[in-house]
Structure formats: C-alpha cells, structure tokens
Amino acid sequence: ALFAWVTVLYTGRADAALRFWGHGEPDDRLAVFVRWGADCREQGMVRAYFGMLAALASGAQASVCAHEFMSGGGAGGHRQTVNQAPLCSWQALFGALDFYAGHLRPGEPDPLAAPPPEIPDAEVALLRAFLRLCRSVVQHSVVARTAIYDSTELGAMTTMFALLACVVPVALKAALLDTVAAFGALDNDVLANSGAQADSVRRAVDEMARRIWAQLEQSQMLPTAGDGARALAVGRGSSGARGGIAYELEEVEAAAETYPETRAFVRLVAALIHVPADAVGVTAEAASAASASASVPADLGSAYRVPGVGPYVSFVLDSVLLKAEQRAYRVPDEKWRVYALALDVVERSLSTLDLSMFVGTHATVTSDALRELATHPGFEVAVRVLCGSRLLDALLRVLDAGVDAVNAGAAAASAVLPALRILLRVLHVQTAVLRGAVPALAEADSLGFALNLPRSLTTLEQLLLSRRESVVQIAALVGAVDPHVSLAAVRIVHILADSTVFNGVDDRVTRGALTLNRMVSMIDGSTDSVRILHAFITSLEAEGGDDVEGDESDDDSAAALRVAVVDLLLANIVSSKPAPTIAHYLLGFSVSRPAADDLPDPAQRATVLHTVLDLLRGDSLLARQPRLAERCYHLVHRLCADPVTSDVALRYLRARETFVSTQLRAVPAAITTDRPRATSAELHARAWLWRTAALELHSLVLQDSRPRAKLIAEWLVADAAQTDDADVFTSRPSAFLDAQMHLLALFSGVRQAYRDAMATLQHQRREAETDSADADAMDADDIVKSDDVATAEDAALLGVDISSC
C-alpha cells in the first residue's frame, strides 16, 4: 500500500522525485527507502515496487538516475552490490523475457505433444510492471534508451520480438509492444530538454526507429511477404494480411471484445512515424513545408515486395479503422480509443507527405522521387479520401459524434480533433495531389512495380457537397470548448467557403430574385443554424492572451481562434462572391435583402457583428491583441466600403453605435509598445479606423448631414491638449497654428512608433549579424548597401510606408 501511495503521488510529475534518487535536495532516508524496496521478494510487493519506480523515474534527470539504479542491480549504480538484489536490474528483466521466449518458442505442430507451457498470471503481472518501468526510463532519457538498445548483453529488442512471436497473454504482448514503441518514439519533451543537442538527439532517435522498423519487418508480426507480387493498388484497400497480429485481432481479441494488443500495435506504428518539426500543425504553411519522415525507411521489404511501410498503414486503415464501427466492445469507450489511435497514424502519414516537388516551379521529378511518393502511406491516405472511399465516410462518422459529446468530455472527443486535422490537411494538399502527383505517376514508366490508381478523383469540397449534414456538423464544432477543435473547424469552414463549389448559387433555394450560396443554404436550412451562429459568437468572446508573441500559425493559442474567425469573415465580404455569403449570415445581414434590411438590435438577436463591436468598445483589445484589433477594424471598414453592405452598415454604426466618433476618441494617439510586430498591427488598425472615418465623413456630406460631419471634423482639428470639445470653427484663426490638432497628434504618434520599430529591428538585425559574421570584414560600401537593403526589408516586415507622412 505504501508503494502504491507513492506511485499515486509522483505519477506524471517530471523530476519531482529526485530526492528519492539522492539528487537535488538529497534525503538519505528516501534513498534508503528505495534501496530497501529492492530487497522485497513477495510478488505483490515487487509488482507495486516496480510501479513506484516507474512513477519516480518520470523526468529527464530522474530517468537517468533510475537507469543507473537498475544498471547497478538496485544499488544506485554501485556495481559491487549487484548480487544483493539481482531481481531489481535490467539483466533480471530481459533475462526473464529471454527465459520465457526460449521455453515458449513455437515449434513444429505436433497433435500428440503436450500443450505448450503458459506463463502464470502472477508472473505476467510482474513482467508488465517491470516493462512499465522500462518504458518510463527510456521515454524520458535518450541516454538510457540508447544504452539499453545497444547493449548486446541485454539484447532488449531481440528478446522482446522473440517473445512477441510466442503464445503469451494478450496483455503481455500489449506491454511488450508499448515498450518497443517507447524506444522508437520521438518525445517533444525530450527534445526540449536536449537544448543545443536537440538535432543530434532527433537524428539518433530517427535512426533507432529505422532499426526498429527493420526488426518489425523481420519478425513478420504483420505478415507482409505475401506471394511476392510487385503491384501497388493505391486507394483500393488491401487488407490481405493473414496470421500474426491480424489473426489475433480477428480470432482472439474480437472474441473477447477487447483490443489491447491491437491498440498497442497501432501505437507502435504511430510512434515510428516521426513528424518533422516544420510540418507540425494544420496550416497551409505546415502542409507545404512537410518533408518525408527521417524515421521511415522507404526501402523496407524491397527484396520481396513493393517497398515501404504501406502494409502497416493499410492494416491500420482496413483492419482497424474501417472495421471499428462493426466490432463489439466490452467497454464502449474503447471504440473511440481505437479510432483515436488509428487516426493518429493517418494524420502522421499525411503530415510526412512531401509534395514540394509539385509546388511552385515545376522541376524535373526523378523516378526515385516518384517511387517514394507512390509507396508513401500519406499518398495512400490522400488518394483514399479524394476518391470518396470508406475512409472519408469513417472520418465523417467520427465527426457525427457531435459538439455536445466533445464538450461533455466523452471518449469521442479524442477522435474528433485528429479527424478534423486530417480533413484540413487533405484540403491543403489536394491541389498538389490532383494536379501534380497523380498525373506524374500516371505518366511514369520506371517505378519498378505496376501502379493502379483510382479512375475517379476529385476535390474534397466536391465530395462534401453531397454530404450536407457533415458540413453542418463541422460548422457546429466551432462551438467546441477545446480551442484546438474549434480552430480546426473554423479553418475547414473557411476553405470550404472560399471554394467555387460552395460559393455557387444553390438552385434548390432560388426563388425569383432571392439567391443563396450553397454554404449559407446548408447552414440556414439546418436545425443547428442558431447553434452555429452562437458557436461563432462564443469563439470571438473567448478570452485569449497576447496574439503577437506567438506565430501566426500557432495552433495552441486561444487568440489564434479569434483571429481565424475574423479572417473567415473578411475573406467572404468581397465582390467576387455572391451575397449573402457565410460572412453576411453570421454578421446578421438579411438573407433575403442584405443590401436593404436593417441590422437586428442586439437585444432581439445577437450576431457576430455585435460581438466584434463589443470587442472594439473595450479598453484593452488594441494593447493586448493588436492583430485581432487590426482585423476587427479592417472588417468594419470592409462592411462600410462594400457595395452590398455599405448603406446598412454605416446606417447602423451611425444610429446605434456612434462608432466613428467613439473610436476616434478612444484610440490613443501614441503607440507605446516596443515590439515591432505589435507596432505593425497597431499602425494598420489605426489606418483602417481612419479609412472608416473618411468613408463616414464622405457619406455624411453626400447626405447633407452636416451636424454629424461637423462633430467629427471638430474633434479632428481640436487641440489635442484640451479636455473639452470646444467649437474650434468659432475660435480665432490662429488657433490652428498655436495648438497641435488631434489629426496632427495622430500622425505624430504613428511616425514616432514607426521610427521606434525601425530602430528596434535594426538593433536586432545588427546583433544577429554580429553573432553570425565578423563585421570588420565588410568595407564601407558593403555596409551602406546592406543597411539600405535591410531598411527596406524592415519596412516590408512592418508593412507600412511612412515616408510620405
């Protein structure tokens, strides 16, 4: 019980237990307690002791201490005491595994032979606890991982794969597979703790994963040798594996209605597919920057089949993912765990699909590059989705779980996010696949194997057009509590709304002069229309931190969600898209007469426009989230300038919000931030506000509404130092010369902020040049030239030309 209590206290707390190992703030009593536990011999206590050690080994430093402790036979690294506690050592663990592998090794079938021996249940539980400790150590320490993996004395990988080939309990096989996966996994925390050595650590783990792929292929745990046929049918599905893990899935686990071994095998496949750092995320930039995984050998099994890891991903797709809905589960939540694990493999495969050869300049593509592309599992996934196969149906079926299940924290939530990310990445790469990869492969004649592609491939937008309920479900997921789910849903809706497929007029709702584009028709005609509108409102209302410190594509930032919503609105208020678009619908414009009917009162019906105006009415938006503020001001200007929305928007802002006057008074003239990115955003925000003010003044003059125009003009030319709004037009003429008008104060603040930002950028650039090169090696002409070029680059970064002000 004591061991179990310590386990609960320290599980998941990185390096919190260093005192137990004699490091940090050493406590001899705790170290003695750990060494005393190594003398236990009763199986229940030993099992609990190993569980405690696994918890204490969490963290970069603690895992190294645990490795030294286990390498020293349970005596903290002192080799002279190994014989005192031989049970608590790596030699004992892998020696026990090797013992059972030797006694349970399958031989020739003999009907007269005695039944094969079995491992007692108590021994199975003990081995699983020992393996859990091993996983904890190798997961957090690359040094320990390499030492154990490379040790010929331990023979860790050989022993574990040998035991996997034997008839042992499914639970033990699952523990073995998870331990193998821990050796090949690339953990972000490990990279973060590696500092300057992160690149070398990544290369070492990539190489270890490639070796594990080779051992997995050699073990034929998933039979891949087949009949030696050298033909590849992409997008067709070929779950032809028999025996091994496929047999145990269908005959053992399916009968027991629980799937621990299959889940562990899928985790292993996912762990061995390392995603390059520049391909992490679901933005268009991440998709275009994707590169092949260094941990996946492109020539795996090339001696006897089509090379690559395709058979393993095909097994995950055909035998696990596509059959998950048909299987029975003793615990219903396990179905969603199976879905989540399988979708992780699918997402990793897509994230490592390198299509850069088909983007931009069309260079000659070599036959080797085409061969690797054809056998890449990500290409198989993309083709399956774009041909409308059962894989697309499975992804949409996961999304049918709905936003309520996601927000309730149900097991389905773990599968919804990867399903959305897969659809989003397919939307990003589909053009390169359909216009570049598929034609190039169809014309290739030197791949080394026959290649069969589906006859019909089309864009994902075209496939989703006939799946209206799925589009509505995606839009409803914008209301998810998890900002990652909400952000992925917003980006999918954005891409769909940008496509010509969803921009076209829906003929089914065209009546006389009334036309609706297909996206608006789908949402407005659904029973979830009010929920979807509320979802976008709550996404904008969600609290977000600073939106400048992170990158524009930061998927982990709550602020990125708000920016993505406003970007969606901006992209759909353009003359090239027939109104009403999804933006008009969400902003509250009339679906039947967007250019004429007044906007609703917030007391009657809340809209996204009301939320945007509420954000701008606050005191801290421009200071805390300048990127969001810039886009909000841009959106208001777009509404005031667009021919469809101009009259309605200006009338509402003037009558109910007094928007221009209020904002001109609220926005300070001085820009106090010292961050160039924030300065750029604030400069653009003021520019959009001033453009809106100019439109308002122009509109008021045309309408002969001089009192309102005079109110704005008086403030612009009033003395910035005055606290009251005196009528400057009745003042003496020299007042314009003796005081600084608000208008001049605004331009002065902008100019000063621009100069400060440029100085900061130049200082940062010179510091970088000092670190990377010797400045004394440059002559005067080169310095002048480089400064001129750098100044132009800095101005381009700010996105502002202030020289004319």
Side-chain angles (χ1 to χ4, degrees), residues 61 63 100 112 129 161 232 253 485 620 664 709 744 782 796:
Q61 299 180 58
S63 58
Y100 285 116
L112 300 179
F161 275 111
L232 181 61
E253 293 184 310
V485 174
S620 59
L664 286 175
L744 296 179
D782 289 337

Side-chain angles (χ1 to χ4, degrees), residues 729-760:
F729 289 111
T730 61
S731 304
R732 56 190 176 84
S734 60
F736 295 105
L737 303 177
D738 296 339
Q740 186 181 29
M741 297 182 293
H742 280 114
L743 186 61
L744 296 179
L746 293 173
F747 280 111
S748 176
V750 166
R751 194 175 189 86
Q752 186 60 47
Y754 178 82
R755 289 171 176 167
D756 292 344
M758 290 290 288
T760 301

